[in-house]
Short mmCIF file of all heavy atoms in Angstrom, two decimals:
data_model
loop_
_atom_site.label_atom_id
_atom_site.label_comp_id
_atom_site.label_asym_id
_atom_site.label_seq_id
_atom_site.Cartn_x
_atom_site.Cartn_y
_atom_site.Cartn_z
N SER A 8 -3.39 2.72 -7.26
CA SER A 8 -3.59 2.44 -5.83
C SER A 8 -2.69 3.42 -5.11
O SER A 8 -1.51 3.29 -5.18
CB SER A 8 -3.14 0.95 -5.54
OG SER A 8 -3.37 0.72 -4.00
N ALA A 14 4.56 9.25 -0.01
CA ALA A 14 4.33 10.42 -0.86
C ALA A 14 5.55 11.51 -0.65
O ALA A 14 6.36 11.36 0.35
CB ALA A 14 3.12 11.21 -0.47
N VAL A 17 6.86 13.30 3.04
CA VAL A 17 6.34 12.56 4.18
C VAL A 17 7.45 11.75 4.92
O VAL A 17 8.09 10.99 4.30
CB VAL A 17 5.11 11.61 3.73
CG1 VAL A 17 4.90 10.69 4.92
CG2 VAL A 17 4.04 12.32 3.31
N PRO A 20 4.69 10.28 11.47
CA PRO A 20 3.35 9.88 11.63
C PRO A 20 2.33 10.95 11.52
O PRO A 20 1.20 10.68 10.94
CB PRO A 20 3.36 9.22 13.08
CG PRO A 20 4.81 8.84 13.23
CD PRO A 20 5.62 9.88 12.64
N ALA A 39 -0.72 15.92 -5.46
CA ALA A 39 0.06 16.15 -6.67
C ALA A 39 0.79 15.05 -7.21
O ALA A 39 0.97 14.82 -8.31
CB ALA A 39 1.15 17.29 -6.11
N LEU A 79 -12.20 8.92 -9.20
CA LEU A 79 -11.71 8.71 -7.86
C LEU A 79 -12.56 7.73 -7.02
O LEU A 79 -13.82 8.11 -6.84
CB LEU A 79 -11.51 9.98 -7.09
CG LEU A 79 -11.13 9.96 -5.65
CD1 LEU A 79 -9.58 9.28 -5.60
CD2 LEU A 79 -11.04 11.32 -5.03
N PRO A 86 -14.51 -4.07 -0.80
CA PRO A 86 -14.23 -5.54 -0.68
C PRO A 86 -12.77 -5.90 -0.85
O PRO A 86 -12.19 -6.80 -0.20
CB PRO A 86 -15.13 -6.11 -1.89
CG PRO A 86 -16.28 -5.08 -1.89
CD PRO A 86 -15.60 -3.79 -1.69
N ALA A 108 6.58 -4.30 7.11
CA ALA A 108 6.81 -4.44 8.53
C ALA A 108 8.04 -5.09 8.83
O ALA A 108 8.37 -6.09 8.28
CB ALA A 108 5.55 -5.15 9.16
N PHE A 152 4.06 0.54 -12.40
CA PHE A 152 4.70 1.78 -11.89
C PHE A 152 4.65 1.60 -10.28
O PHE A 152 3.68 1.22 -9.66
CB PHE A 152 3.87 2.86 -12.26
CG PHE A 152 4.40 4.28 -11.67
CD1 PHE A 152 5.20 5.09 -12.36
CD2 PHE A 152 3.94 4.67 -10.31
CE1 PHE A 152 5.68 6.25 -11.80
CE2 PHE A 152 4.37 5.90 -9.81
CZ PHE A 152 5.28 6.69 -10.47
N ASP A 157 13.41 5.11 -1.60
CA ASP A 157 14.37 4.31 -2.37
C ASP A 157 14.14 2.70 -1.94
O ASP A 157 14.45 1.91 -2.91
CB ASP A 157 15.78 4.76 -2.29
CG ASP A 157 16.33 4.82 -0.83
OD1 ASP A 157 15.53 5.15 0.10
OD2 ASP A 157 17.52 4.57 -0.53
N THR A 159 11.53 1.30 -0.93
CA THR A 159 10.41 0.75 -1.53
C THR A 159 10.46 0.38 -2.99
O THR A 159 10.05 -0.61 -3.51
CB THR A 159 9.20 1.85 -1.48
OG1 THR A 159 8.95 2.25 -0.13
CG2 THR A 159 7.99 1.48 -2.13
N ARG A 172 9.94 2.95 -11.92
CA ARG A 172 10.05 3.12 -10.38
C ARG A 172 10.71 4.64 -10.25
O ARG A 172 11.44 5.18 -11.06
CB ARG A 172 11.14 2.28 -9.83
CG ARG A 172 10.57 1.05 -9.37
CD ARG A 172 11.74 0.00 -8.97
NE ARG A 172 12.09 -0.67 -10.23
CZ ARG A 172 11.37 -1.84 -10.64
NH1 ARG A 172 10.43 -2.40 -9.85
NH2 ARG A 172 11.84 -2.41 -11.75
N ALA A 201 4.26 7.91 -18.01
CA ALA A 201 4.17 7.79 -19.50
C ALA A 201 4.92 6.75 -20.01
O ALA A 201 4.45 6.06 -21.06
CB ALA A 201 4.70 9.15 -20.11
N ALA A 205 3.48 1.77 -21.82
CA ALA A 205 3.86 0.83 -22.73
C ALA A 205 3.76 -0.53 -22.19
O ALA A 205 3.69 -1.57 -22.94
CB ALA A 205 5.36 0.94 -23.22
N ASN A 213 -3.40 -15.75 -12.66
CA ASN A 213 -2.61 -16.76 -12.09
C ASN A 213 -3.23 -17.04 -10.69
O ASN A 213 -2.90 -16.32 -9.74
CB ASN A 213 -1.17 -16.25 -11.94
CG ASN A 213 -0.19 -17.27 -11.34
OD1 ASN A 213 -0.69 -18.33 -10.93
ND2 ASN A 213 1.02 -16.93 -11.37
N VAL A 221 2.05 -14.23 9.95
CA VAL A 221 2.08 -12.94 10.67
C VAL A 221 2.70 -12.98 11.96
O VAL A 221 2.35 -13.86 12.79
CB VAL A 221 0.74 -12.32 10.69
CG1 VAL A 221 0.84 -10.84 11.13
CG2 VAL A 221 -0.06 -12.39 9.34
N ASP A 230 -2.55 -14.55 20.34
CA ASP A 230 -3.61 -15.41 20.89
C ASP A 230 -4.99 -14.85 20.38
O ASP A 230 -5.86 -15.59 20.08
CB ASP A 230 -3.52 -15.19 22.50
CG ASP A 230 -2.41 -15.89 23.09
OD1 ASP A 230 -1.84 -16.84 22.39
OD2 ASP A 230 -2.03 -15.57 24.26
N ILE A 234 -7.95 -17.22 17.25
CA ILE A 234 -9.29 -17.84 17.36
C ILE A 234 -10.03 -17.84 16.09
O ILE A 234 -11.14 -18.39 15.86
CB ILE A 234 -10.09 -17.01 18.56
CG1 ILE A 234 -10.44 -15.61 17.95
CG2 ILE A 234 -9.43 -16.99 19.78
CD1 ILE A 234 -11.44 -14.85 18.70
N ALA A 259 -8.67 -12.92 4.70
CA ALA A 259 -8.42 -13.37 5.91
C ALA A 259 -7.45 -12.43 6.73
O ALA A 259 -7.58 -12.16 7.93
CB ALA A 259 -7.70 -14.76 5.90
N LYS A 261 -7.28 -9.16 6.43
CA LYS A 261 -8.11 -8.04 6.78
C LYS A 261 -8.77 -8.41 8.14
O LYS A 261 -8.83 -7.57 9.03
CB LYS A 261 -9.14 -7.71 5.75
CG LYS A 261 -8.62 -6.98 4.55
CD LYS A 261 -9.58 -6.96 3.45
CE LYS A 261 -10.88 -6.15 3.76
NZ LYS A 261 -11.73 -6.07 2.63
N SER A 264 -6.10 -8.23 10.84
CA SER A 264 -5.72 -6.88 11.11
C SER A 264 -6.83 -6.21 12.00
O SER A 264 -6.50 -5.50 12.93
CB SER A 264 -5.57 -6.08 9.83
OG SER A 264 -4.53 -6.54 9.10
N ALA A 270 -7.71 -5.61 19.71
CA ALA A 270 -6.97 -6.21 20.92
C ALA A 270 -5.96 -5.49 21.61
O ALA A 270 -5.35 -5.66 22.61
CB ALA A 270 -6.42 -7.61 20.49
#
Side-chain angles (χ1 to χ4, degrees):
S8 175
V17 167
L79 176 64
F152 175 97
D157 56 325
T159 300
R172 275 167 272 275
N213 184 353
V221 183
D230 289 341
I234 68 169
K261 286 167 65 177
S264 297

